[in-house]
Amino acid sequence: MNHTPVQAADGTTTHYRICPLCEACCGLDVQVQDGKVIRIRGAEHDVFSAGFICPKGYALKDLHEDPDRLRQPMIKRNGQHVAVSWDEAFAEAERLLKPVIAQHGRDAVALSVGNPSAHKIGLLLYFAKFARVLGSRNIFSASTLDQMPKQLQSGLMFGHWLSVAVPDIERCDYLLVLGANPMASNGSMWTVPDFRGKAKALRARGGKLVVIDPRRGETAAVADAHHFIRPGGDAFLLAGMLHTVLAEGLEKPGRLAPMLKGLDDVRHAVATFSPEAVATRCGVPAETIRQLAREFANTPRACIYGRIGTCTQRYGTVASWLIDTLNAVTGHLDSEGGAMFPQAAAFAANTQGKPGQGRGVTRGRHASRVSGAPEVYGELPMTLLAEEIETPGDGQVRALISVASNPVLSSPGGPRLAQALQKLDCMISLDIYLNETTQHAHVILPGLSPLEEAHYDVAFPQLSFRNHARHSAPVFAPPADHSPEWQTLLRLAAMVAPEGKLPADPLLADDALLLDDLNRSAGPQAQALMAALSADGLRGPERQLELALRSGPYGDQFGRKPEGLTLAKVKAANGGIDLGPLQPRLPELLRTPSGKVELAPALCLADLAEAAKELVPATSAASKDELLLIGRRELRSNNSWMHNLPTLAKGPMRCTALVHPQDAQRLGLSDGGRAELSRGGQSIEVPVVLSDEMMPGVISLPHGWGHDQPGTKLGLAAQRPGANLNAVLDDTLRDPLSGNAVLSGVAVKVRALQPAEVT
Ligand SMILES: Nc1nc2c(c(=O)[nH]1)N[C@H]1C(S)=C(S)[C@@H](COP(=O)(O)OP(=O)(O)OC[C@H]3O[C@@H](n4cnc5c(=O)[nH]c(N)nc54)[C@H](O)[C@@H]3O)O[C@H]1N2
Ligand SMILES: Nc1nc2c(c(=O)[nH]1)N[C@H]1C(S)=C(S)[C@@H](COP(=O)(O)OP(=O)(O)OC[C@H]3O[C@@H](n4cnc5c(=O)[nH]c(N)nc54)[C@H](O)[C@@H]3O)O[C@H]1N2
Ligand code: SF4
Ligand SMILES: [Mo]
């Protein structure tokens, strides 16, 4: 039974809905009258988010009602997209896709999967199934524009890509934040609704919040201290801090000591990274580095948290590794108020299998065809998609299936990729807009409105500040003939499966794939389990969820622990079920072959040795007419796809370049004037805002803009299109360990535009 919507005397109903727009995963109350949303508020009774909401949460109404949101499949005829029936769309997809596989093999079909898929249970679970059936090596995702360094580092140290430690903020007394702005982003790789309230409480109990960022932004504004850092300098700063901790004998791993492996190697590796040696490279004075190391190490409940700014740089994996190494050697890993590991109720690999030991992670099981970049977590770097399409030869990518992905705006080298997409024999997009990427698709298969779908977060309880299990039912029934995305993916899976291997009917395909999985995991009990799971008519993602919850760490184990969780119990709980504060999980969580925390992975040591070469001589700053470009997130925007929603689009233009007045003076830039940013033959024009929030020499611009492409259908966004930051970022720059793109600290030429030059 679902928790039933609350009916008011005035005829309105209030529905509980978990917001799928960002990682905070807030519970919302959606009030409905006569089939229309009349109000959205934070759900006070949500056990996890307790009433918090941000302006994007209200915009779910706009998204639901947006006339430009696709409600019917589209196919391209004579260069124009036209709406067609679902049958026609699937027939066209099959007509284009099958010959590519028949003639060129499975690797000729690439997949590109984007951020919103992490927020949809159907997309997340069934994309994985689809990718397995397809069996292509060419898988690209937003992960290599974002957090792959953190996943690789966590995999190397703890044995699984998703064993990521997050700040235990409610018990923390010293939080050092690098390269994150949770006041704008609402948290990332850390699910923490109402960061402001939690930061305020931390400070109220005498704790300290310190921010390291080339921009003194919204999070720095609520912190006790802020220090500028040269973009890309984090690995150097962190190595300097670790050097200080070890040189001054501040390490105290405590109960972790017997679980740590490689401390001597770490000591040796950071020996050359004294605060004096790194200061110029990271732009943080040596004395500040020492002070940061000392106060962090000496506060009993302390934590370092690094996010996108620390990942999207040349030494992204090394920086991420140094963060958790610092947390570990000071005894702040896996301890209250430090960096702790959530225990999700469902789907967490680190709650399955043998506790305490495992196979660990391997990378480089195959390499990209053209540049030879190693596979990481089954993926190749997103910045290499264009060359895989452009470069002729065996294994050339000739078809692309994009799933909730807009790499033309989100990936460096976007304009080059847009050109490449034109050359494909087949492009199929699962998306809800005709936008900068999907305009190149031969077939677009739309998803539902978030208000038409049930929701349970698969990924984010694995990254949450507190353990919980929450489910929300659809607010509105989906249109009768609209294929939900998990079924769309199964229909595509049947097309690409070897002949006769998978039924074309998505419900039968779902049964077949689940039974396969159960045969592998449960052996002789597979049939009985299948029957039990399917008893209440459960199918698709909800049946997977029932299996995951019941067999999970809090589950009823199919009756063996009757007090345990089932899907029905989670559904019936109004506002979800609180599973308590984070608990120590080491060594049980570990899946490394050694059964220890690997403090000194060989890959990281080798790359730190590379970084050491940059210490002497100190690298010079950008040339006089160049600034180092960094990204920015705005509360009323979300990556590339929410600029068409009226409540978010109103107000001042957000795609602006922030420049320090000192730089402005040198470059002849003025507040409100326009500048041209250029690099590698590409240029964009943006409005300039002068701001002493900026570190001199650095310029900040948000990504996800540039909605001026003909052939798209984004009426409102096109009125104020902004410019595509990724047009001037370089698709050759990567962290060689994780394949993650370098988005931070790339030097761009900045030129003031005279009014007559503005286009
Ligand atoms: N320069 C620079 N570039 C960046 C970043 C940066 O900081 N700086 N950030 C990077 C990061 S962190 C990320 S995660 C990526 C994001 O990169 P992407 O995931 O490629 O981009 P999004 O803007 O999230 O666009 C997602 C697409 O999903 C569609 N969509 C939305 N909801 C649904 C749905 O329910 N179903 C389907 N099928 N489609 C849907 C949207 O219409 C859009 O086309 O961008 C990266 N790019
Ligand atoms: N409102 C809003 N919320 C979002 C999104 C959005 O687009 N809008 N996107 C969502 C997504 S996909 C993600 S991944 C998360 C990201 O969430 P966060 O990781 O919090 O990302 P940002 O808000 O971009 O903050 C990154 C900070 O890093 C700083 N920075 C840049 N370069 C460096 C550097 O080299 N070193 C250091 N120390 N700092 C640096 C920037 O100035 C910025 O303040 O946000 C999510 N939430
Ligand atoms: S913070 Fe994120 S999850 Fe919460 S309402 Fe805003 S967009 Fe939705
Ligand atoms: Mo992201």
Side-chain angles (χ1 to χ4, degrees):
M1 257 301 281
N2 276 319
H3 166 67
T4 34
V6 180
Q7 182 111 27
D10 60 4
T12 64
T13 49
T14 300
H15 305 247
Y16 172 67
R17 176 59 166 96
I18 301 163
C19 180
L21 298 178
C22 91
E23 298 180 41
C25 306
C26 304
L28 306 179
D29 276 336
V30 182
Q31 204 178 353
V32 173
Q33 188 170 36
D34 301 328
K36 285 199 76 154
V37 175
I38 54 167
R39 192 170 182 182
I40 299 182
R41 282 182 293 189
E44 300 283 345
H45 63 282
D46 187 292
V47 296
F48 183 68
S49 59
F52 184 75
I53 184 170
C54 87
K56 289 188 296 302
Y58 304 106
L60 278 171
K61 172 180 163 64
D62 288 4
L63 179 57
H64 184 70
E65 294 169 1
D66 187 355
D68 286 340
R69 182 170 61 79
L70 301 180
R71 288 154 174 86
Q72 269 182 288
M74 313 277 275
I75 65 176
K76 213 177 214 178
R77 280 204 193 116
N78 306 319
Q80 294 278 329
H81 280 104
V82 292
V84 295
S85 71
W86 282 91
D87 284 347
E88 275 176 279
F90 282 121
E92 178 72 351
E94 184 155 9
R95 187 180 75 78
L96 295 171
L97 188 57
K98 277 195 149 172
V100 173
I101 297 181
Q103 288 165 32
H104 304 287
R106 297 180 169 273
D107 291 337
V109 183
L111 303 182
S112 160
V113 59
N115 174 279
S117 73
H119 296 268
K120 305 275 160 126
I121 181 171
L123 276 184
L124 200 59
L125 296 178
Y126 284 77
F127 176 81
K129 288 177 191 276
F130 170 66
R132 214 178 319 134
V133 174
L134 175 64
S136 167
R137 290 180 166 189
N138 284 307
I139 298 181
F140 303 84
S141 93
S143 292
T144 50
L145 305 171
D146 183 348
Q147 82 288 354
M148 199 55 111
K150 210 162 173 70
Q151 296 196 257
L152 175 58
Q153 160 258 316
S154 299
L156 293 171
M157 293 180 78
F158 313 123
H160 193 275
W161 308 95
L162 280 166
S163 290
V164 173
V166 302
D168 179 23
I169 189 168
E170 292 193 311
R171 296 177 290 195
C172 181
D173 295 324
Y174 183 91
L175 181 59
L176 181 62
V177 173
L178 297 97
N181 187 9
M183 286 294 291
S185 69
N186 282 302
S188 181
M189 297 302 272
W190 181 27
T191 289
V192 58
D194 192 17
F195 173 82
R196 180 200 293 273
K198 290 176 178 66
K200 212 169 153 187
L202 179 154
R203 297 182 65 197
R205 63 178 178 265
K208 193 167 174 182
L209 175 64
V210 180
V211 173
I212 312 278
D213 197 303
R215 170 179 169 241
R216 193 172 57 250
E218 295 82 353
T219 303
V222 301
D224 297 272
H226 164 258
H227 304 280
F228 283 133
I229 184 168
R230 199 168 161 233
D234 298 80
F236 299 88
L237 165 72
L238 290 157
M241 286 177 64
L242 188 53
H243 176 99
T244 306
V245 166
L246 298 175
E248 299 187 2
L250 301 176
E251 70 272 30
K252 35 179 161 329
R255 67 172 259 280
L256 288 185
M259 297 176 225
L260 303 182
K261 190 174 156 220
L263 183 53
D264 285 343
D265 293 335
V266 170
R267 194 182 293 277
H268 183 70
V270 298
T272 51
F273 289 81
S274 68
E276 281 72 18
V278 300
T280 313
R281 180 63 180 80
C282 66
V284 183
E287 215 25 60
T288 308
I289 299 174
R290 283 212 173 80
Q291 179 208 337
L292 289 168
R294 288 173 192 152
E295 52 186 39
F296 163 67
N298 290 329
T299 309
R301 294 171 173 224
C303 181
I304 307 181
Y305 164 67
R307 209 23 301 270
I308 194 162
T310 56
C311 285
T312 51
Q313 43 174 279
R314 161 60 186 84
Y315 294 104
T317 303
V318 167
S320 304
W321 158 65
L322 289 168
I323 288 172
D324 274 343
T325 301
L326 272 159
N327 281 327
V329 301
T330 53
H332 294 130
L333 181 73
D334 199 45
S335 71
E336 283 189 13
M340 299 192 76
F341 298 97
Q343 187 178 49
F347 301 115
N350 66 30
T351 63
Q352 294 158 24
K354 189 173 160 224
Q357 211 171 11
R359 274 187 310 200
V361 301
T362 37
R363 127 197 194 289
R365 292 169 297 177
H366 55 264
S368 76
R369 180 181 62 106
V370 181
S371 285
E375 156 277 340
V376 179
Y377 198 10
E379 298 184 18
L380 296 171
M382 183 61 108
T383 43
L384 297 182
L385 176 56
E387 68 175 27
E388 291 295 331
I389 299 171
E390 288 164 353
T391 313
D394 241 16
Q396 181 180 6
V397 167
R398 292 163 195 271
L400 176 71
I401 300 177
S402 81
V403 177
S405 168
N406 191 7
V408 169
L409 292 193
S410 60
S411 186
R416 172 182 172 186
L417 179 62
Q419 295 268 315
L421 297 180
Q422 299 276 26
K423 302 199 177 99
L424 291 167
D425 296 340
C426 168
M427 178 169 166
I428 300 168
S429 290
L430 273 67
D431 209 286
I432 56 173
Y433 283 108
L434 177 50
N435 65 15
E436 301 75 15
T437 294
T438 63
Q439 65 161 310
H440 301 288
H442 300 100
V443 182
I444 310 176
L445 302 166
L448 291 161
S449 152
L451 298 183
E452 294 164 345
E453 287 188 297
H455 190 69
Y456 183 98
D457 274 301
V458 172
F460 302 110
Q462 302 183 47
L463 300 163
S464 289
F465 82 96
R466 195 176 168 90
N467 293 316
H468 60 100
R470 299 174 302 150
H471 177 276
S472 65
V475 175
F476 300 113
D481 62 340
H482 195 127
S483 172
E485 296 202 281
W486 64 274
Q487 293 194 20
T488 300
L489 285 163
L490 286 175
R491 290 188 63 162
L492 293 175
M495 279 176 211
V496 302
E499 209 58 44
K501 274 277 191 265
L502 201 62
D505 178 330
L507 294 176
L508 296 178
D510 188 39
D511 285 346
L513 290 175
L514 179 59
L515 193 58
D516 260 8
D517 286 348
L518 293 175
N519 277 327
R520 265 194 302 272
S521 62
Q525 282 137 37
Q527 287 288 355
L529 254 180
M530 184 82 185
L533 289 168
S534 314
D536 294 332
L538 282 182
R539 291 295 182 277
E542 298 245 316
R543 183 166 59 180
Q544 300 284 146
L545 177 57
E546 167 85 328
L547 170 62
L549 280 169
R550 297 186 71 177
S551 58
Y554 310 88
D556 83 336
Q557 309 304 325
F558 295 93
R560 279 185 283 121
K561 289 191 177 166
E563 72 291 353
L565 292 185
T566 62
L567 177 56
K569 279 188 198 168
V570 176
K571 278 184 171 179
N574 189 359
I577 296 174
D578 178 35
L579 298 167
L582 304 185
Q583 302 294 331
R585 288 198 58 194
L586 294 181
E588 159 268 319
L589 161 130
L590 295 173
R591 296 292 185 274
T592 49
S594 62
K596 308 248 185 218
V597 174
E598 293 289 350
L599 288 184
L603 275 175
C604 299
L605 293 184
D607 209 35
L608 187 66
E610 284 299 308
K613 296 180 189 160
E614 295 188 24
L615 291 175
V616 215
T619 29
S620 65
S623 75
K624 269 202 157 68
D625 57 352
E626 288 183 337
L627 295 174
L628 300 178
L629 185 54
I630 61 169
R632 178 169 93 241
R633 278 172 168 73
E634 299 278 336
L635 192 56
R636 288 171 184 274
S637 170
N638 195 21
N639 294 337
S640 73
W641 66 278
M642 294 186 71
H643 302 142
N644 208 51
L645 308 179
T647 49
L648 299 180
K650 66 183 184 209
M653 180 55 178
R654 297 190 172 85
C655 184
T656 56
L658 303 183
V659 181
H660 192 275
Q662 214 172 291
D663 292 322
Q665 198 177 20
R666 189 181 75 248
L667 296 163
L669 300 166
S670 61
D671 195 53
R674 293 181 73 84
E676 180 194 73
L677 274 50
S678 58
R679 182 181 165 92
Q682 291 282 340
S683 66
I684 54 173
E685 286 181 29
V686 288
V688 172
V689 173
L690 301 193
S691 165
D692 64 5
E693 285 174 1
M694 294 307 301
M695 182 173 186
V698 182
I699 181 169
S700 153
L701 188 71
H703 71 284
W705 294 85
H707 306 294
D708 50 2
Q709 299 297 310
T712 59
K713 189 164 171 273
L714 294 162
L716 185 63
Q719 290 172 24
R720 283 204 298 182
N724 180 8
L725 159 62
N726 283 312
V728 291
L729 288 185
D730 193 323
D731 61 7
T732 64
L733 301 178
R734 279 182 296 283
D735 164 22
L737 271 53
S738 66
N740 209 91
V742 174
L743 307 174
S744 217
V746 178
V748 291
K749 227 178 210 86
V750 181
R751 186 172 72 87
L753 289 171
Q754 304 311 317
E757 292 182 273
V758 172
T759 50

